[in-house]
Amino acid sequence: MVHGRILDYAYVDTDTLFRDFHISKEGYSDAQAEESRLRYGKNILSGRASDTVLYRLRRAFINPFAIILLILASISFVVDVLLASNFSRNMTTVIIILCMLLISGIVRFIQEMRAKHVSDHLTRMISSNVMVHRNGKWTGISSTELVVGDHIRLFAGDRVPADIRLTVANDLFVSQSVITGESAVLEKHSSILQQGQARSYGEYSNIAFMGSSITGGFGEGIVLAVGEDTVYGGFSTSESPLKNGFDRGANSIAWVLIHFMTVLIPVVFIACGLTKGNWFSAFLFALSVAVGLTPEMLPMVINACLAKGSAAMGKKQTVVKNINAMQGFGSMDILCVDKTGTLTGDVISLEYYMDVLGNESEKVLDLAYLNSLYHTGVKNHLDSAILKCLEMPGHEAHFQTLAAQYKKLDELPFDYERRFASVLVENGQEHLLIIKGSIDEVCRRCSHVEYRGCRSAMDAQSSASVHAIVDDMLEDGMKVLAVAYKPMTQPQLTMTDEQDFILLGYLAFFDAPKQTAADAIHKLQKLHVDIRVLTGDQRDVAVSICRRLGIDTAQTLTGSDLEKLTDDELPIKIEHATVFAELSPKQKVHVLQTLQTNGHTVGFLGDGMNDLPAIVESDVGISVDTAAEAVKEGADVILLKKDLNVLEEGIKEGRKAFSNVSKYIKITASSNFGNIFSIVIASVLLPFFPMTSVQLLLLNLLYDILCLVLPWDHVDEDTCSQPLEWSGRTLGRFMRFFGPISSFFDILTFVFLFFVLCPAVCGGSFSALAQNDEQLRFIALFQTGWFLESMWTQVLILHLLRTPRVPLFQSMPARPVMLVTLLGNLVFTVLTFTPVGTVIGLTALPLPYFGFLAVIVLLYLLLVTLAKSWYIRRYHELL
């Protein structure tokens, strides 16, 4: 809502404003600014604009997986510490879980802060500061340093940095679409409002609201509200609800694990309670099963994979502001791009200036020059190309004389509804209104056409003549604007005056396709990322450029085509179209939202203010370092080079990180599920627990520590060639398929240990042994034997399931993965022969056991290889 200070000072004169806030002719001093900051607050929002250390810290430590582990740690603390006796009190489980959470959070936080540091440095380096009058001089400062009472200046292209009471407004036009959602451009002034005049944001004609963009003109004003007190600050949230692709996937995976837990934990608890008679011990064991089923290191492995991916992208001229955007890169299957600067170069040249029949016309160029010279809206490549005519040999004096003869009176800047810019100039007593813009929109407002000084009324034949001249140039990929004028009597301009023009001629610009664009598009298509072109340019121009670059243009839609489609037709038409032309910013968002509704992960690359809504709405918002401040602020990724080849590298890195995370989640969860399934069976049949709670937790912890090397693993090229889905949709299927295979070999190991090895070493069956030391030795041998079998099978299966190919022969793991996993297994095997192993209930095993272990591991790997081949044939995927 509008702050009280806005309501008060919109209805009083500026002298009262200066007096009440003690603003002198020198502006605020540094001391006054600090006092105002303490009194009214800082100009920082709670959302992404603030991006504070606390925000990064919260995002590093709070996620679905961390919450699951924290709940389990809390339960364990209550049971193992608070409710336990002094003798049985044990903090091991709690400490292990909390250490994992802490280390995982620190890893992510460090990477988040690195990304923030680079992003902040980039923003400081290339963002536009706000001009403020302090200590008697105008100086540029960061918008976050503004305070209530500051006197600031606004220029075309600026984003309004706070809620401002205007004191000077010179042809000041503002877009408030970020607040109201309306695309209309409003003219602002500095005069006093009449009481009761303002009933909506658009009616506060002397107030510039934070987040609005200056589309034309110049203004000065006094800051009345900052940060959370602004209208925009009231709308701001900590994270866009649509920027949650990563969280949706994480929640999906977390719920799969929760569902398995809710089924298995009661089963284990009841089975152990009934067979062992000790319900408290059964509860503790069921709790360890819950922890064992959860991949404890999952947050850390995810963070390490994403951090490595973002660091690799940093070396390839890409700054990842939001580490979760790596997931978006991995699953992105459609990339929407604007034409200018992405598919074509940023430098546009004026090729032709001609009359209505295509002959060169100096008058067309003169009027176009005056329009571009006096147009105070956001400058663009077309205006720059026209103004470069001043540098043409022999023309400098002519254009200087022209500017001296014709003085500006008023203007209406370009907007995406009218699609042209109007400038009113005078030459003595003569007033001319000159417009320049879209062919269709300008011609629609013309009633006459002029050729070599002769005017005639516009008719159907005139319209056909326009297309006869223009269409060939459009098909050649040129951008064409129309120029028209009309005499005026009054010195002021309103939108009602924009009728009955005289069509004078056309301007043709050439925007050459980038040499690297065609190759980059081909590479993206090989990665199964479809390119959709969303541009405001004419249809023929967009189609011509796209054809040269090899983009299919059979299905093309314009903004007017979209408006005619029904709700049922819209998703189908947008799904199949590849080129969208003559779009407004609002229509770009509509196209993007429809693609998302159709099930796509959509990225958007843009750099203009008109691209900001689409960048914010996309799954991966991508901008460049030369973009406006507001655009960079809304983007997840900033490219230091506006080149699609850079994006290709980013997509590959995202998919590599994604694939390695998927390896860990699916393989670990299925292996853990197999172990837990084995425990359920063993708990019913055995007279003792097959593994202690601490051993079970340690087994998972040791395995997970080895998995920390996964971010450095190689990823098969065919895996990176397809978008990857980040969700738990196939996780349950994978667990149910491969988990029981592990359980089968666990049960064989149980049988061997219980009926063969342990009786042979201990001198008899478990029931025949004495109650004390001999049975304890039997249990220790059994638990150690299963501990090692679980460790070896769990680690080696990682090599087998990490790739759809034949491991070691067709797909070699990275050297660190090979060394760490093999050395880890050897070290943990040796652990059973050390005093450390004795502390946790492990003991040395006889040599024959290791012969059995080798055989059981080889058989397990062979069966899983066969099962993997069947699984891939059945479901056409592995991970």
Side-chain angles (χ1 to χ4, degrees):
M1 59 181 295
V2 178
H3 195 275
R5 285 190 294 274
I6 303 291
L7 298 175
D8 291 339
Y9 290 100
Y11 298 100
V12 299
D13 57 41
T14 55
D15 291 338
T16 304
L17 180 63
F18 276 80
R19 184 177 64 251
D20 289 354
F21 284 95
H22 308 290
I23 305 169
S24 68
K25 294 181 180 180
E26 305 294 314
Y28 268 0
S29 64
D30 291 337
Q32 284 179 299
E34 185 60 31
E35 181 183 349
S36 177
R37 187 175 292 110
L38 292 174
R39 181 176 181 182
Y40 298 110
K42 298 179 179 180
N43 194 30
I44 296 177
L45 300 177
S46 63
R48 293 178 60 177
S50 60
D51 202 9
T52 61
V53 173
L54 184 62
Y55 169 72
R56 296 272 178 167
L57 188 66
R58 178 183 64 80
R59 194 163 68 177
F61 281 92
I62 298 178
N63 55 71
F65 305 108
I67 291 172
I68 290 176
L69 293 180
L70 188 61
I71 292 172
L72 293 175
S74 302
I75 295 173
S76 180
F77 178 76
V78 172
V79 174
D80 291 350
V81 180
L82 297 183
L83 300 181
S85 63
N86 291 334
F87 179 75
S88 62
R89 188 167 292 163
N90 189 342
M91 283 282 292
T92 305
T93 303
V94 179
I95 291 173
I96 289 175
I97 296 175
L98 292 180
C99 285
M100 292 308 99
L101 283 172
L102 182 64
I103 295 170
S104 171
I106 290 173
V107 168
R108 174 160 181 157
F109 179 66
I110 290 173
Q111 183 60 28
E112 289 271 10
M113 290 308 298
R114 285 178 179 172
K116 174 176 166 56
H117 174 74
V118 174
S119 175
D120 289 348
H121 173 70
L122 181 67
T123 300
R124 286 194 301 269
M125 188 169 57
I126 59 181
S127 66
S128 56
N129 293 330
V130 61
M131 295 298 296
V132 62
H133 194 217
R134 282 193 189 170
N135 302 309
K137 61 181 180 180
W138 289 98
T139 184
I141 65 171
S142 170
S143 60
T144 59
E145 298 297 318
L146 284 179
V147 299
V148 172
D150 265 333
H151 186 188
I152 71 168
R153 282 178 174 170
L154 300 170
F155 302 91
D158 286 353
R159 187 175 69 96
V160 180
D163 285 354
I164 311 295
R165 166 64 162 92
L166 295 169
T167 57
V168 175
N170 183 11
D171 289 328
L172 185 65
F173 292 87
V174 176
S175 169
Q176 296 182 167
S177 60
V178 71
I179 295 173
T180 63
E182 300 294 331
S183 58
V185 174
L186 306 174
E187 184 171 12
K188 298 286 185 175
H189 58 76
S190 59
S191 56
I192 304 170
L193 294 186
Q194 299 298 317
Q195 286 294 332
Q197 177 182 341
R199 294 179 298 276
S200 66
Y201 297 124
E203 293 176 340
Y204 283 92
S205 55
N206 60 0
I207 301 294
F209 292 107
M210 183 183 195
S212 304
S213 54
I214 307 298
T215 61
F218 164 82
E220 292 183 9
I222 303 299
V223 176
L224 290 182
V226 295
E228 296 296 324
D229 289 341
T230 63
V231 171
Y232 182 76
F235 294 156
S236 178
T237 56
S238 59
E239 188 81 19
S240 170
L242 296 173
K243 289 286 187 180
N244 61 359
F246 180 86
D247 291 333
R248 282 199 306 269
N251 288 331
S252 173
I253 293 168
W255 276 112
V256 170
L257 298 177
I258 289 172
H259 289 155
F260 273 89
M261 273 192 254
T262 55
V263 173
L264 286 176
I265 292 175
V267 172
V268 173
F269 174 64
I270 293 171
C272 292
L274 291 175
T275 55
K276 308 299 181 296
N278 188 334
W279 290 96
F280 184 72
S281 296
F283 178 76
L284 293 180
F285 192 70
L287 178 65
S288 67
V289 166
V291 177
L293 183 62
T294 306
E296 292 90 346
M297 299 287 283
L298 182 54
M300 187 184 297
V301 172
I302 289 176
N303 295 338
C305 288
L306 297 181
K308 181 180 180 296
S310 63
M313 289 180 66
K315 297 176 183 177
K316 297 174 181 178
Q317 299 184 305
T318 305
V319 178
V320 181
K321 289 179 59 184
N322 180 358
I323 194 173
N324 289 349
M326 291 301 300
Q327 173 270 332
F329 270 119
S331 56
M332 181 170 67
D333 60 340
I334 288 182
L335 175 64
C336 298
V337 300
D338 192 7
K339 179 182 71 66
T340 303
T342 304
L343 304 180
T344 62
D346 283 320
V347 179
I348 297 177
S349 59
L350 176 62
E351 294 291 319
Y352 306 111
Y353 41 95
M354 60 201 120
D355 60 26
V356 291
L357 293 184
N359 305 303
E360 185 174 297
S361 171
E362 291 287 344
K363 185 175 181 180
V364 170
L365 180 59
D366 288 348
L367 295 191
Y369 180 85
L370 290 173
N371 182 283
S372 295
L373 178 67
Y374 291 128
H375 174 231
T376 60
V378 181
K379 293 301 179 184
N380 55 68
H381 300 303
L382 302 178
D383 282 326
S384 299
I386 293 171
L387 295 177
K388 280 185 179 179
C389 293
L390 183 66
E391 302 170 6
M392 292 168 57
H395 283 69
E396 182 176 357
H398 168 73
F399 286 113
Q400 288 177 345
T401 302
L402 188 69
Q405 289 177 345
Y406 288 89
K407 298 300 182 182
K408 176 185 173 183
L409 294 176
D410 203 356
E411 72 165 314
L412 289 174
F414 177 89
D415 65 56
Y416 287 92
E417 296 297 323
R418 292 158 47 249
R419 303 181 73 85
F420 61 82
S422 300
V423 172
L424 180 62
V425 296
E426 68 168 345
N427 178 16
Q429 298 300 316
E430 180 187 18
H431 294 174
L432 284 183
L433 175 56
I434 307 168
I435 63 171
K436 174 184 91 266
S438 161
I439 295 288
D440 292 335
E441 294 299 329
V442 170
C443 290
R444 188 175 295 124
R445 301 187 183 236
C446 291
S447 58
H448 290 78
V449 60
E450 179 178 313
Y451 176 65
R452 294 185 177 179
C454 298
R455 299 176 187 173
S456 57
M458 289 276 285
D459 52 24
Q461 185 177 356
S462 301
S463 179
S465 175
V466 168
H467 287 284
I469 299 297
V470 169
D471 286 355
D472 287 342
M473 291 184 288
L474 293 177
E475 290 174 3
D476 288 337
M478 289 189 172
K479 184 173 181 65
V480 183
L481 301 181
V483 178
Y485 77 100
K486 77 172 186 178
M488 292 271 290
T489 54
Q490 70 270 23
Q492 292 182 334
L493 177 60
T494 65
M495 287 191 179
T496 57
D497 296 318
E498 294 180 327
Q499 300 291 338
D500 299 324
F501 285 98
I502 303 165
L503 179 63
L504 188 62
Y506 318 107
L507 305 167
F509 304 83
F510 187 61
D511 190 9
K514 280 185 177 178
Q515 294 181 351
T516 60
D519 182 53
I521 289 170
H522 179 66
K523 290 177 180 177
L524 290 174
Q525 289 172 339
K526 285 180 66 177
L527 293 173
H528 294 87
V529 177
D530 292 334
I531 300 294
R532 305 293 170 90
V533 178
L534 277 61
T535 179
D537 280 350
Q538 292 108 318
R539 177 187 180 279
D540 290 342
V541 176
V543 168
S544 175
I545 295 295
C546 290
R547 281 176 179 166
R548 298 185 193 187
L549 297 174
I551 298 175
D552 183 17
T553 59
Q555 299 288 336
T556 303
L557 292 174
T558 63
S560 59
D561 292 336
L562 292 176
E563 292 176 354
K564 297 174 184 175
L565 295 176
T566 65
D567 292 341
D568 293 333
E569 294 173 329
L570 197 66
I572 299 173
K573 291 288 187 180
I574 288 180
E575 179 69 26
H576 293 98
T578 53
V579 180
F580 299 85
E582 302 172 23
L583 297 182
S584 67
K586 192 173 182 179
Q587 288 173 325
K588 289 184 179 182
V589 172
H590 194 188
V591 170
L592 193 144
Q593 288 175 331
T594 303
L595 291 172
Q596 290 173 323
T597 303
N598 287 353
H600 297 287
T601 301
V602 186
F604 189 93
L605 170 61
D607 62 351
M609 287 294 292
N610 59 318
D611 296 322
L612 178 57
I615 286 175
V616 173
E617 192 74 20
S618 64
D619 295 295
V620 187
I622 309 164
S623 189
V624 293
D625 60 351
T626 55
E629 180 184 1
V631 178
K632 289 181 297 185
E633 186 179 292
D636 300 301
V637 177
I638 298 176
L639 304 182
L640 302 183
K641 182 180 180 182
K642 194 172 184 181
D643 189 342
L644 291 178
N645 285 298
V646 177
L647 280 182
E648 181 221 359
E649 295 296 328
I651 290 169
K652 286 183 177 179
E653 290 297 336
R655 291 181 182 176
K656 287 178 183 178
F658 205 176
S659 178
N660 286 331
V661 171
S662 185
K663 289 176 191 177
Y664 174 78
I665 292 174
K666 289 192 172 181
I667 297 172
T668 304
S670 66
S671 184
N672 286 355
F673 173 64
N675 287 345
I676 301 307
F677 190 64
S678 304
I679 288 173
V680 173
I681 297 173
S683 300
V684 174
L685 300 177
L686 294 176
F688 52 84
F689 289 114
M691 195 179 292
T692 67
S693 301
V694 173
Q695 289 169 352
L696 183 60
L697 189 61
L698 181 65
L699 174 66
N700 286 281
L701 175 61
L702 296 178
Y703 168 77
D704 288 338
I705 289 174
L706 296 182
C707 287
L708 280 178
V709 77
L710 274 179
W712 287 265
D713 191 19
H714 295 153
V715 177
D716 298 336
E717 286 188 12
D718 49 358
T719 301
C720 288
S721 66
Q722 296 279 353
L724 302 174
E725 181 184 8
W726 173 241
S727 77
R729 184 178 61 85
T730 61
L731 175 59
R733 183 183 70 197
F734 192 93
M735 292 170 65
R736 291 190 298 270
F737 185 86
F738 288 101
I741 299 176
S742 170
S743 298
F744 174 74
F745 286 92
D746 285 341
I747 293 171
L748 290 181
T749 303
F750 292 163
V751 171
F752 173 77
L753 290 171
F754 192 80
F755 293 105
V756 180
L757 182 71
C758 294
V761 174
C762 297
S765 65
F766 183 78
S767 59
L769 296 175
Q771 290 293 320
N772 296 322
D773 293 342
E774 292 182 359
Q775 282 194 347
L776 290 177
R777 188 185 180 203
F778 189 103
I779 294 172
L781 284 169
F782 184 97
Q783 291 176 341
T784 305
W786 188 43
F787 181 91
L788 289 181
E789 185 263 350
S790 295
M791 173 59 71
W792 276 88
T793 55
Q794 198 168 16
V795 171
L796 292 180
I797 206 64
L798 185 65
H799 288 274
L800 201 62
L801 295 180
R802 57 169 289 275
T803 172
R805 301 177 180 179
V806 178
L808 302 181
F809 296 99
Q810 294 180 331
S811 177
M812 280 292 294
R815 185 174 298 176
V817 175
M818 180 69 79
L819 291 176
V820 168
T821 52
L822 293 181
L823 287 176
N825 267 350
L826 292 175
V827 169
F828 297 139
T829 301
V830 173
L831 178 69
T832 62
F833 294 91
T834 66
V836 176
T838 305
V839 171
I840 59 175
L842 301 177
T843 188
L845 290 167
L847 191 61
Y849 167 80
F850 293 98
F852 167 81
L853 179 63
V855 172
I856 206 76
V857 167
L858 288 175
L859 289 174
Y860 176 51
L861 295 179
L862 177 62
L863 183 57
V864 170
T865 300
L866 297 175
K868 181 177 77 171
S869 299
W870 185 91
Y871 186 91
I872 294 173
R873 287 197 304 271
R874 175 70 175 80
Y875 299 110
H876 308 291
E877 65 175 7
L878 181 63
L879 297 173

